[in-house]
Amino acid sequence: MTETLAPGHSSLALGVPPATPGTIYALAIAGGIVFGPREGRTILFGRNRPEVHVCIGEDDRRVSRQHGLLTHQKNQWWVSNTGRLPIRLPNSRLLFTNEEPIPLVEGYTPLFVGGSGGREHLLELYVTGSDVQTPTSRHLDPTHPPKTWRLDPTERLALVVLGQRYLLHEARPQPLSWTQAANQLAHLQPDANWTAKKVEHLVVKVRARLSKDGVAGLTREEMDEPVGNSLNHNLIRELLTSTTLVPPDLRLLNHPDD
């Protein structure tokens, strides 16, 4: 099984269609590919579009022309680094050049390659798992999608900035401070008059809206002192687990008007 994924394809964090167990989906902003499992099969990713299966960081010379490999061996997919910069996996695990390959777990895995000017290039991976049926399975029932929350473009940009460490899958992430978020937003939108108070007002408004709709942990009355970053942490976790925000939203840090 081999097929291509077009640019603009939905994030793999939202799931993939049914496929043979061990099928791998690989997706970057420029598109991607789907390969079935086969011993020795290799997928190349990097900057040089003519020489790789999945192009990542095409306009960024910090990304190597062939930056990494996905290889199917012993009934499992593995990721290797063949580029100059490390590849970051979830929980801030770094994979360096010529290190031993790391096995991919079933389900969704985002990989990040750092680029020039603080850019982060995302490669989304999804390995399909075994669909073991039992007598009580409900495999023909319709899937209940997560409830996503409505965000207007300004709210989405501000929350991506505030919660970027979570979208980057850093270990033990925390929200940016109001001042940090306002400074980055002012850089992205110089004419929008961003201030720490403006960011705070916007985020508090979103928290109140979701709290009214039943999301817990978004108001001071629910939390023990000291509250600290707990309210914003809980908000960002809700936006991620509901797939309202997904890693491809990080593109707004480079293209805020998308």
Side-chain angles (χ1 to χ4, degrees), residues 3-12 25-34 49 53-55 124:
E3 63 179 272
T4 58
L5 302 174
H9 189 280
S10 299
S11 170
L12 301 185
Y25 290 69
L27 178 66
I29 194 171
I33 200 163
V34 182
R49 184 185 292 270
H53 297 95
V54 183
C55 183
E124 296 187 276

Side-chain angles (χ1 to χ4, degrees), residues 38 43 55 70 77 92 97 124 126 134 140 151 164 216-217 220 237 244 254:
R38 191 178 71 191
I43 300 171
C55 183
L70 304 168
W77 285 98
S92 295
T97 307
E124 296 187 276
Y126 196 107
T134 68
L140 297 180
L151 298 175
Q164 60 189 271
R220 283 188 169 273
R237 294 297 302 174
T244 302
N254 296 317

Side-chain angles (χ1 to χ4, degrees), residues 111-160:
L111 307 181
F112 296 93
V113 178
S116 57
R119 297 172 66 185
E120 293 278 352
H121 301 283
L122 169 65
L123 177 64
E124 296 187 276
L125 304 176
Y126 196 107
V127 179
T128 60
S130 302
D131 188 13
V132 180
Q133 303 296 336
T134 68
T136 58
S137 67
R138 304 175 65 183
H139 57 280
L140 297 180
D141 287 3
T143 299
H144 288 222
K147 178 179 179 179
T148 57
W149 300 99
R150 179 185 57 81
L151 298 175
D152 66 33
T154 301
E155 290 171 342
R156 181 173 297 276
L157 174 61
L159 287 161
V160 167

Side-chain angles (χ1 to χ4, degrees), residues 16-234:
V16 300
T20 303
T23 298
I24 190 168
Y25 290 69
L27 178 66
I29 194 171
I33 200 163
V34 182
F35 272 11
R38 191 178 71 191
E39 184 69 15
R41 173 164 272 175
T42 297
I43 300 171
L44 305 175
F45 62 90
R47 173 167 49 91
N48 191 352
R49 184 185 292 270
E51 295 183 2
V52 297
H53 297 95
V54 183
C55 183
I56 177 173
E58 185 171 22
D59 62 345
D60 192 336
R61 289 191 296 174
R62 295 272 291 175
V63 179
S64 295
R65 286 169 292 199
Q66 290 188 9
H67 206 100
L69 304 174
L70 304 168
T71 307
H72 191 265
Q73 293 180 331
K74 300 178 181 178
N75 297 316
Q76 190 161 22
W77 285 98
W78 304 73
V79 58
S80 305
N81 187 346
T82 58
R84 290 180 176 272
L85 294 176
I87 298 170
R88 194 173 76 256
L89 287 82
N91 298 318
S92 295
R93 181 174 183 179
L94 295 178
L95 176 62
F96 292 91
T97 307
N98 297 324
E99 279 192 328
E100 289 296 313
I102 293 176
L104 294 173
V105 298
E106 292 180 356
Y108 179 72
T109 302
L111 307 181
F112 296 93
V113 178
S116 57
R119 297 172 66 185
E120 293 278 352
H121 301 283
L122 169 65
L123 177 64
E124 296 187 276
L125 304 176
Y126 196 107
V127 179
T128 60
S130 302
D131 188 13
V132 180
Q133 303 296 336
T134 68
T136 58
S137 67
R138 304 175 65 183
H139 57 280
L140 297 180
D141 287 3
T143 299
H144 288 222
K147 178 179 179 179
T148 57
W149 300 99
R150 179 185 57 81
L151 298 175
D152 66 33
T154 301
E155 290 171 342
R156 181 173 297 276
L157 174 61
L159 287 161
V160 167
V161 169
L162 187 75
Q164 60 189 271
R165 294 166 178 163
Y166 298 75
L167 291 165
L168 290 166
H169 286 261
E170 293 186 3
R172 297 175 294 281
Q174 287 291 312
L176 267 61
S177 70
W178 300 130
T179 300
Q180 288 173 321
N183 288 341
Q184 187 166 0
L185 286 164
H187 176 75
L188 293 171
Q189 295 182 325
D191 299 326
N193 298 318
W194 284 104
T195 65
K197 280 294 183 184
K198 181 176 179 177
V199 178
E200 181 180 4
H201 177 76
L202 180 149
V203 173
V204 169
K205 182 179 175 181
V206 174
R207 289 203 314 250
R209 190 167 74 232
L210 270 60
S211 177
K212 184 177 179 180
D213 283 342
V215 179
L218 301 183
T219 64
R220 283 188 169 273
E221 292 73 21
E222 301 172 80
M223 308 297 293
D224 295 327
E225 294 291 347
V227 174
N229 280 333
S230 298
L231 300 180
N232 286 345
H233 172 81
N234 293 344

